[in-house]
Amino acid sequence: MKTKTPTSETIESYLNDLLRISHFKDYCPNGLQVQGKTHIKTIVSGVTASIAFIEKAIELKADAILVHHGWFWKNDDARIVRQLHARLKLLMQHDINLYAYHLPLDQHPVFGNNVQLARVLGFEIQGQSKENDLVWYGKPSQGSQKKTLQALTAHIEKKLHRAPLVIGNEQQSIKKVAWCTGGAQGYIDIAAKLGADVYISGEISEQTTHAARELGIAYISAGHHATESYGVQALGAQVSKVFGIRHIHADIPNPV
Ligand SMILES: [Zn+2]
């Protein structure tokens, strides 16, 4: 543990190295997206840098916020107007740093959303798809109670505190699971190719139902927010441990 209050730059370079951001082609900049005060004593983590989250962070006296969904996405309007203007104004009025890590946080072998979701759900990780390494696979868990789709669904509901939407036969047995956190329902064909009995992601589209039925794989839509809540928490805890600063996770509930 370091005793000196770390600077925003020190934390940024630590996180950028840890998450190997230069190895990713992403839809948004990863790292420090908005510069704030120089020294950081309190970091608040959350899924999305929304107004509600920034307000909560201000209340918690944050010097920096750490999120999975930051700003400045590839197809966004490049102007600072409306929603972005309101968010940025609020953040800058309070001189808060914004760190955002998207794909590098999904993928990290320790702090990543996919690995952390597997930990929360008790999955035994076996690997990642060679075709698309965002899709992970493994065994549901050691417990005998998770052998059917129905039992696995109940387990996920209990762990993530949210009722999932499920496509498939409740009584079918589940030996192999594949998953990708967030809005990754489009990767269902990759999960089917892996021979998984069920694919778990955060959201569902109309066509996902047909894909599941026609590819012969069950689908569980477990919540975008719910499946991506754990990476930032693990990362925030790591920063707190390494630099001896305060970390608080602020959950702004989102049913999607
Ligand atoms: Zn996401």
Side-chain angles (χ1 to χ4, degrees):
M1 192 200 271
K2 292 172 187 168
T3 45
K4 231 176 76 194
T5 311
T7 64
S8 152
E9 273 182 13
T10 308
I11 289 180
E12 189 200 10
S13 63
Y14 171 77
L15 286 172
N16 289 356
D17 288 349
L18 182 69
L19 298 176
R20 303 166 73 242
I21 64 162
S22 57
H23 291 77
F24 291 84
K25 249 192 108 183
D26 211 333
Y27 317 100
C28 65
N30 286 292
L32 184 64
Q33 288 193 337
V34 179
Q35 192 179 346
K37 58 190 78 166
T38 309
H39 289 94
I40 297 179
K41 292 193 198 99
T42 298
I43 190 161
V44 175
S45 67
V47 177
T48 301
S50 63
I51 291 279
F53 174 71
I54 298 166
E55 283 170 347
K56 185 73 195 168
I58 292 164
E59 207 182 294
L60 295 167
K61 310 233 179 308
D63 303 308
I65 54 177
L66 172 66
V67 300
H68 181 50
H69 301 142
W71 303 338
F72 317 117
W73 300 89
K74 204 170 158 192
N75 294 318
D76 279 359
D77 187 336
R79 299 170 301 164
I80 303 191
V81 294
R82 302 174 202 278
Q83 232 190 322
L84 182 59
H85 172 259
R87 288 174 167 190
L88 188 59
K89 186 176 175 183
L90 184 61
L91 193 79
M92 292 192 76
Q93 274 171 343
H94 291 84
D95 210 11
I96 296 173
N97 294 273
L98 165 59
Y99 298 107
Y101 294 93
H102 185 235
L103 293 182
L105 184 60
D106 285 321
Q107 277 307 65
H108 195 271
V110 178
F111 306 104
N113 281 320
N114 285 297
V115 170
Q116 288 295 321
L117 181 68
R119 179 188 61 76
V120 170
L121 297 178
F123 293 168
E124 185 189 311
I125 296 172
Q126 292 179 317
Q128 290 161 265
S129 159
K130 287 198 174 66
E131 187 182 342
N132 183 335
D133 65 4
L134 284 164
V135 180
W136 296 63
Y137 63 92
K139 287 189 194 166
S141 69
Q142 294 84 348
S144 56
Q145 73 277 22
K146 284 119 206 168
K147 293 276 162 68
T148 63
L149 180 61
Q150 187 176 38
L152 179 64
T153 303
H155 173 71
I156 292 174
E157 177 167 359
K158 195 172 142 215
K159 292 290 178 185
L160 302 187
H161 317 289
R162 176 191 180 280
L165 195 153
V166 184
I167 307 297
N169 172 3
E170 287 191 332
Q171 297 313 317
Q172 77 178 90
S173 78
I174 303 293
K175 293 192 187 78
K176 186 171 182 175
V177 290
W179 67 94
C180 179
T181 62
Q185 63 269 45
Y187 297 153
I188 190 167
D189 58 321
I190 291 162
K193 277 188 217 161
L194 287 169
D197 301 302
V198 62
Y199 176 52
I200 302 160
S201 188
E203 296 186 33
I204 186 162
S205 308
E206 191 272 346
Q207 68 219 51
T208 318
T209 306
H210 306 296
R213 290 174 182 162
E214 291 163 27
L215 294 168
I217 183 171
Y219 183 70
I220 298 180
S221 171
H224 190 137
H225 177 89
T227 57
E228 296 196 322
S229 288
Y230 303 100
V232 279
Q233 290 189 57
L235 196 60
Q238 174 67 10
V239 170
S240 168
K241 199 174 102 188
V242 170
F243 295 99
I245 61 172
R246 189 165 79 121
H247 164 244
I248 303 161
H249 179 71
D251 186 57
I252 305 298
N254 183 341
V256 176

